Amino acid sequence: MTSRARTFGSAASAYERFRLGYPDELVDLVLEYAGRPVRSALEIGAGTGKATRAFAARGIEVTATDPDAAMLAELRRQVPASVTVVRGAFEDLPLTRTYDLVFAAAALHWTAPSGRWERVAALLGPDAAFASFGAPLRLADPGLAEAVRAARAPFLDDDEVPSPDGTPEGAAMRWPGTELIRSDAFTDVRQVVVTRRPTVSASDYVGHLATISAYLELPASVRELALAAVRAVLPDRVTLDADLTLHLARRR
């Protein structure tokens, strides 16, 4: 994990409050792709369980893993008792059993690249499915987005995580699909975009920003100034570009 990946526990309750959940449409797409009953699933970097509960609600026995104790404490308050909770980084998980599905929600980029796909494959049964989904939460209005960037600039140049393999944002196939295609362990790689345009209060949007690792790395006093500067340029409600990019692949 990078240092940024270790920041979330300090904002676990805010993460649960302000981060968006995952729609039924996304779960439907994953289960349809699997093409067979999914009885067991392993989640990489479960956080507070936003995606965990969406899959557990379908009767799937989810094993939710995360290295952060504070995030898992919040997760335990949110998910059903049927979920198995394991504290540990993806790189340290035992490869002692396989699952019908392995998935990661806005978390895969925090895993170490070396041996990533070999480990995922080792956790999957033959022909079992892998899914990764997420996307930056952005303002839908370009002019407002520029105003926020300018307000944030004295404190923070950029608040997004770059593509782990350097794939340009406008590329037809985005990461991790680019790596999945190159991996000998996977086939039938697909990319699907689930469109979302929610409207939220400015306070909730700023609350979301306060859970982003780039802000969490700032000293508390600087973070407060940055968030106040952003809030000052926002109207009372904002529309978000919250499109989810879903990548799917099948173990050979």
Side-chain angles (χ1 to χ4, degrees):
M1 294 189 300
T2 65
S3 61
R4 286 177 70 169
R6 301 186 183 100
T7 61
F8 296 108
S10 63
S13 60
Y15 194 106
E16 174 57 30
R17 177 180 176 185
F18 295 114
R19 292 277 180 134
L20 296 179
Y22 294 95
D24 289 340
E25 178 187 358
L26 182 136
V27 181
D28 291 340
L29 287 166
V30 173
L31 298 184
E32 180 182 356
Y33 173 85
R36 65 184 192 187
V38 175
R39 298 183 176 87
S40 64
L42 176 80
E43 182 177 5
I44 301 167
T48 66
K50 292 284 187 178
T52 315
R53 68 199 75 163
F55 283 88
R58 303 300 183 94
I60 300 170
E61 295 180 1
V62 179
T63 298
T65 71
D66 198 280
D68 193 295
M71 295 292 273
L72 289 180
E74 186 66 39
L75 177 145
R76 288 185 176 94
R77 288 190 281 270
Q78 305 297 334
V79 303
S82 61
V83 172
T84 299
V85 181
V86 175
R87 183 183 179 188
F90 170 65
E91 295 77 15
D92 299 327
L93 299 178
L95 305 179
T96 53
R97 64 165 291 189
T98 59
Y99 301 84
D100 299 326
L101 170 70
V102 171
F103 68 95
L108 194 69
H109 52 283
W110 300 125
T111 63
S114 178
R116 177 190 286 132
W117 300 115
E118 291 82 358
R119 288 190 63 82
V120 172
L123 290 161
L124 289 167
D127 297 323
F130 169 76
S132 175
F133 44 92
L137 195 72
R138 295 168 173 161
L139 293 163
D141 182 335
L144 189 56
E146 175 56 27
V148 166
R149 188 206 63 77
R152 184 193 67 214
F155 313 98
L156 183 64
D157 181 54
D158 188 8
D159 63 3
E160 295 189 2
V161 178
S163 171
D165 69 351
T167 300
E169 184 169 329
M173 178 61 74
R174 305 175 194 174
W175 185 91
T178 48
E179 289 187 0
L180 285 163
I181 288 173
R182 295 193 296 266
S183 172
D184 293 334
F186 291 91
T187 186
D188 191 20
V189 178
R190 303 183 195 180
Q191 177 177 283
V192 183
V193 176
V194 178
T195 302
R196 300 190 300 177
R197 290 292 185 278
T199 297
V200 302
S201 70
S203 295
D204 280 0
Y205 174 66
V206 172
H208 171 90
L209 293 181
T211 71
I212 292 176
S213 58
Y215 286 92
L216 290 170
E217 277 199 316
L218 296 173
S221 59
V222 177
R223 181 166 63 247
E224 290 174 7
L225 289 171
L227 294 172
V230 169
R231 179 62 186 90
V233 301
L234 295 174
D236 289 340
R237 297 188 67 79
V238 296
T239 299
L240 304 176
D241 175 350
D243 291 357
L244 292 166
T245 302
L246 167 65
H247 288 98
L248 299 159
R250 198 177 310 281
R251 183 190 164 186
R252 291 186 186 275

